[in-house]
C-alpha cells in the first residue's frame, strides 16, 4: 500500500484541472479527500450563475465538502435602479446566503467584487453581518463603491483577525473625516492600485498605515502609480520602520516626462528602510531617464544593510531602447555589488504598452 502523501501529491499536481480532479475523487477513497479539498478550495457566489441557493443541495447531501472552502469570492454586480430584481435579491431576500456562510467555517480569505450603484451601500451594509468572520486573514475588495473613507474601516472591523488588505479600484463617494478610527485591526500587508492612492480613501488609508499600523506593516504593494502618488508614498514609507517587502508595479505615463522626473529626484528625500529584504520595481524609460536609475539607487541605498532580493521590470518602447537599457543596467550593477546581503537580482524587459490594464 502506498503512503497517503503520495496520493495527495498526485492530486496536487492537478490542482487547476477540475475535470481530472472530479475523476480522481470518484476513483478511490485515498484520492477522494484531497481531490475534493482542491475542487472546493474556492467558492464563487454571484446572483447570475452561482447563487447561494444553488449550493444548498450540496450542503444537505455532503456537508463535509464545504469545510474544505478556504476562499470565498462574492460577485454582486450592478445595484443601480436599472439592474435586475434578481441581483437586488442577492442579499436582501435570499436567506440561503447566511446558511451557506455558516457552513464554511474555515474560510481565511474573502473577495468582494463589483458592488456599485445606488443600492450598493445598503447591500454592503446588509452583507457584512452575514459574512463577518473571526478566521478571515485576507480581504480583497475589487470595484467597490463606499459612502465615505470611514466606511472602509467599519468594514474591516467585521474581520478581527485580518492581516492582509488588497484594494483594486475601490472608491468612496464622501470625503474623509479629520479623524479616522482604524479600530483594533493590525494589518501586516496592504496592496493598493488603480488611481486610489491620491483619492480621499487612499490618503485615509495611508494615514492609518503611518499611525495605527506603522509598527506592524511588513508588506506594501503599490500598483498603477503616478508622480503625485509617489510624493504621498514617500512621506509614508519613512514611518514604516518594519517594512520587509516593497513593490511598485505599473508606473503611469506622467512619470516618463523629464520635468516630472527632475522634480521627483529633487523633492523626494532619501529615507531609511532598515529591515527591507525584498524590493520589486517597475521603472519607465530606464534608458533615457536618469531619474529611473536614481529611483533604483535611492531605494537600494535606503535598504543597503538588509536588502536580499531585487526584481526590476525595465520598460522600453523599441528594440534600440532595450539595447541601451542593458548598457545602462551595467552602471547600476556596480552599485548593487556594494549591498552585502544581496542574494538575488532578477531583471526583466517589459514592453511599455504591456504595462497598462
Amino acid at each position: 500500500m502506498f503512503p497517503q502523501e503520495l496520493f495527495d501529491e498526485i492530486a496536487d499536481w492537478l490542482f487547476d484541472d477540475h475535470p481530472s480532479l472530479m475523476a480522481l475523487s470518484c476513483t478511490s477513497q485515498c484520492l477522494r479527500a484531497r481531490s475534493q479539498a482542491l475542487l472546493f478550495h474556492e467558492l464563487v457566489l454571484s446572483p447570475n450563475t452561482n447563487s447561494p441557493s444553488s449550493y444548498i443541495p450540496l450542503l444537505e447531501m455532503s456537508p463535509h465538502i464545504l469545510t474544505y472552502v478556504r476562499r470565498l469570492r462574492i460577485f454582486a454586480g450592478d445595484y443601480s435602479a436599472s439592474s435586475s430584481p434578481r441581483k437586488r435579491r442577492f442579499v436582501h431576500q435570499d436567506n440561503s446566503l447566511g446558511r451557506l456562510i455558516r457552513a464554511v467555517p474555515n474560510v481565511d480569505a474573502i473577495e468582494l467584487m463589483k458592488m456599485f450603484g445606488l443600492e450598493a451601500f445598503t447591500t454592503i451594509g446588509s452583507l457584512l453581518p452575514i459574512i463577518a468572520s473571526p478566521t478571515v486573514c485576507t480581504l480583497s475588495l475589487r470595484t467597490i463603491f463606499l459612502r465615505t473613507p470611514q466606511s472602509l474601516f467599519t468594514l474591516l472591523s467585521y474581520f478581527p483577525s485580518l492581516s492582509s488588505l488588497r484594494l483594486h479600484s475601490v472608491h468612496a463617494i464622501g470625503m474623509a473625516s479629520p479623524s479616522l478610527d482604524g479600530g483594533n485591526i493590525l494589518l501586516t500587508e496592504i496592496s493598493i492600485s488603480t488611481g486610489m492612492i491620491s483619492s480621499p480613501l487612499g490618503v485615509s488609508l495611508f494615514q492609518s498605515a503611518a499611525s495605527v499600523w506603522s509598527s506592524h506593516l511588513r508588506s506594501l504593494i503599490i500598483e498603477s502609480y503616478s508622480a503625485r502618488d509617489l510624493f504621498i508614498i514617500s512621506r509614508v514609507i519613512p514611518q514604516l520602520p518594519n517594512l520587509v517587502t516593497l513593490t511598485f508595479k505599473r508606473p503611469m505615463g506622467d512619470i516618463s516626462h523629464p520635468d516630472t522626473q527632475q522634480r521627483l529626484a529633487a523633492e523626494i528625500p532619501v529615507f531609511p528602510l532598515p529591515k527591507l529584504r525584498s524590493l520589486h520595481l517597475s521603472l519607465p524609460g530606464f534608458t533615457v531617464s536618469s531619474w529611473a536609475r536614481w529611483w533604483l539607487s535611492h531605494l537600494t541605498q535606503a535598504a543597503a544593510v538588509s536588502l536580499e532580493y531585487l526584481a526590476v521590470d525595465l520598460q522600453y518602447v523599441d528594440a534600440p531602447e532595450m539595447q541601451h537599457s542593458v548598457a545602462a543596467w551595467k552602471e547600476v550593477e556596480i552599485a548593487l555589488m556594494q549591498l552585502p546581503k544581496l542574494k538575488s537580482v532578477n531583471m526583466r524587459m517589459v514592453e511599455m504598452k504591456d504595462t497598462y490594464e
Side-chain angles (χ1 to χ4, degrees):
M1 182 66 180
F2 293 111
Q4 183 60 42
E5 291 79 5
L6 180 60
F7 291 103
D8 292 345
E9 187 170 350
I10 292 172
D12 289 343
W13 275 98
L14 301 169
F15 72 96
D16 58 349
D17 187 346
H18 283 196
S20 296
L21 287 173
M22 286 189 285
L24 281 181
S25 67
C26 298
T27 56
S28 72
Q29 189 172 358
C30 295
L31 290 164
R32 182 178 303 131
R34 186 59 178 172
S35 298
Q36 290 179 343
L38 292 169
L39 278 168
F40 290 92
H41 177 81
E42 178 178 280
L43 195 65
V44 179
L45 302 177
S46 71
N48 294 326
T49 56
N50 299 307
S51 66
S53 58
S54 67
Y55 289 99
I56 297 303
L58 177 64
L59 174 61
E60 294 174 344
M61 293 177 59
S62 304
H64 74 282
I65 287 183
L66 293 179
T67 63
Y68 294 134
V69 177
R70 295 295 183 271
R71 178 180 173 87
L72 186 63
R73 302 179 70 195
I74 301 178
F75 179 98
D78 183 2
Y79 282 85
S80 62
S82 60
S83 64
S84 67
R86 184 177 185 180
K87 287 185 178 180
R88 296 197 294 271
R89 289 199 304 266
F90 183 61
V91 174
H92 301 303
Q93 299 179 20
D94 193 350
N95 59 13
S96 59
L97 177 61
R99 184 180 175 188
L100 183 63
I101 295 297
R102 291 191 293 272
V104 288
N106 299 319
V107 169
D108 57 26
I110 289 181
E111 181 175 8
L112 301 180
M113 298 178 289
K114 294 191 176 181
M115 293 188 181
F116 51 89
L118 296 176
E119 295 185 26
F121 305 131
T122 305
T123 300
I124 294 172
S126 302
L127 181 64
L128 287 175
I130 299 175
I131 65 173
S133 169
T135 63
V136 170
C137 300
T138 301
L139 178 65
S140 301
L141 304 179
R142 182 177 291 270
T143 317
I144 302 287
F145 281 79
L146 303 171
R147 286 191 184 276
T148 66
Q150 182 59 52
S151 301
L152 174 64
F153 297 94
T154 301
L155 188 154
L156 299 184
S157 67
Y158 284 89
F159 307 98
S161 299
L162 195 66
S163 61
S164 177
L165 177 64
R166 301 169 185 177
L167 305 177
H168 181 93
S169 191
V170 179
H171 302 281
I173 306 302
M175 298 299 293
S177 60
S179 177
L180 290 170
D181 182 11
N184 297 320
I185 301 298
L186 298 177
L187 295 179
T188 60
E189 178 187 71
I190 294 178
S191 174
I192 185 169
S193 65
T194 317
M196 289 182 53
I197 298 168
S198 302
S199 69
L201 180 59
V203 172
S204 300
L205 186 66
F206 279 113
Q207 286 176 352
S208 293
S211 56
V212 181
W213 307 317
S214 60
S215 61
H216 300 273
L217 203 62
R218 301 291 186 272
S219 176
L220 181 62
I221 302 170
I222 307 296
E223 189 169 349
S224 300
Y225 62 94
S226 66
R228 182 182 179 188
D229 296 335
L230 279 180
F231 284 111
I232 295 174
I233 297 165
S234 66
R235 293 194 293 267
V236 174
I237 289 180
Q239 302 178 61
L240 306 175
N242 295 317
L243 205 61
V244 174
T245 301
L246 180 60
T247 300
F248 287 93
K249 296 180 180 179
R250 297 186 179 91
M252 296 171 67
D254 65 333
I255 293 181
S256 298
H257 195 281
D259 291 342
T260 303
Q261 294 175 2
Q262 290 179 8
R263 184 184 170 208
L264 287 167
E267 296 185 19
I268 295 182
V270 175
F271 43 78
L273 294 168
K275 297 184 179 180
L276 193 72
R277 296 178 56 197
S278 178
L279 177 62
H280 186 177
L281 298 175
S282 293
L283 297 176
F286 196 80
T287 312
V288 298
S289 168
S290 60
W291 173 82
R293 292 196 291 277
W294 171 87
W295 182 234
L296 176 58
S297 62
H298 179 94
L299 291 177
T300 51
Q301 287 178 31
V305 298
S306 59
L307 192 64
E308 298 180 7
Y309 306 98
L310 175 65
V312 183
D313 294 338
L314 306 178
Q315 298 182 2
Y316 68 94
V317 178
D318 51 30
E321 181 173 318
M322 181 179 68
Q323 294 174 356
H324 291 142
S325 292
V326 174
W329 175 255
K330 295 294 184 180
E331 301 174 17
V332 180
E333 185 178 7
I334 298 174
L336 296 181
M337 294 175 64
Q338 309 302 316
L339 302 178
K341 294 188 177 181
L342 192 63
K343 299 177 180 178
S344 172
V345 177
N346 182 14
M347 184 178 70
R348 186 177 65 145
M349 293 294 179
V350 181
E351 200 168 356
M352 186 75 77
K353 65 181 181 181
D354 293 336
T355 62
Y356 300 98
E357 294 184 338

